[in-house]
Amino acid sequence: MAATVLSIVAATPAVADTSVESRHRWRPHLAFPGETRGELALQFALEQMGKPYEYGGNGPDSYDCSGLTQQAWGAVGVWIPRTSQDQADAGTGVPLSQVRPGDLVIFYADASHVGIYAGDGMVVVAPHEGAFIRLEPIAWMPVYAVRRPG
């Protein structure tokens, strides 16, 4: 039986094009068999690491927390709302014990911050003014909810 190629598309950098102007252009790739949309959204978020936080930032040069998560899921064809408060109601609720890479991790009871679970107890976050997108332990802020878009 012939192998099936998935049609999920994610954003990845062009390997051969390394000019400054091209670093923020993204080219799609086909998902590997078994690769989930959450893993692809995580890949997009990881590739934004080092970019600055900017309040209201929605890419491609800077992001705020919910702009990063919205664009990461949008890169795999899943629309989620723009704000962390609205993202706290998006998708399906998941117990923290069942969190998977790509899940949205909502912080604080007022849902004022959001990141993307990266695995091994780490979350990709756009933390605050003056900081850059980075990995932080999931326990760096109080977890309010975990949501699985798509």
Side-chain angles (χ1 to χ4, degrees):
M1 177 178 263
T4 302
V5 176
L6 300 178
S7 62
I8 298 172
V9 177
T12 57
V15 176
D17 192 356
T18 58
S19 66
V20 173
E21 297 79 24
S22 70
R23 288 185 195 151
H24 303 295
R25 285 197 314 255
W26 300 92
R27 301 215 169 87
H29 81 274
L30 293 177
F32 297 107
E35 196 170 30
T36 68
R37 285 187 177 191
E39 290 166 330
L40 293 169
L42 169 61
Q43 178 184 340
F44 178 93
L46 288 169
E47 290 175 352
Q48 307 315 303
M49 285 180 45
K51 292 183 180 180
Y53 174 97
E54 178 183 5
Y55 182 77
N58 208 25
D61 298 321
S62 60
Y63 296 88
D64 66 9
C65 65
S66 56
L68 175 64
T69 54
Q70 184 188 48
Q71 292 302 310
W73 276 95
V76 299
V78 177
W79 180 88
I80 62 173
R82 176 62 180 91
T83 68
S84 57
Q85 291 83 8
D86 289 337
Q87 289 177 12
D89 293 324
T92 304
V94 176
L96 184 57
S97 63
Q98 295 177 21
V99 65
R100 293 193 312 216
D103 286 348
L104 300 177
V105 179
I106 313 297
F107 296 99
Y108 297 109
D110 65 355
S112 59
H113 197 68
V114 62
I116 295 183
Y117 188 67
D120 295 323
M122 302 298 283
V123 182
V124 181
V125 293
H128 54 78
E129 285 291 340
F132 299 87
I133 297 171
R134 63 184 186 225
L135 284 168
E136 288 287 347
I138 196 170
W140 80 305
M141 289 189 255
V143 174
Y144 172 69
V146 176
R147 306 297 293 187
R148 186 166 295 148

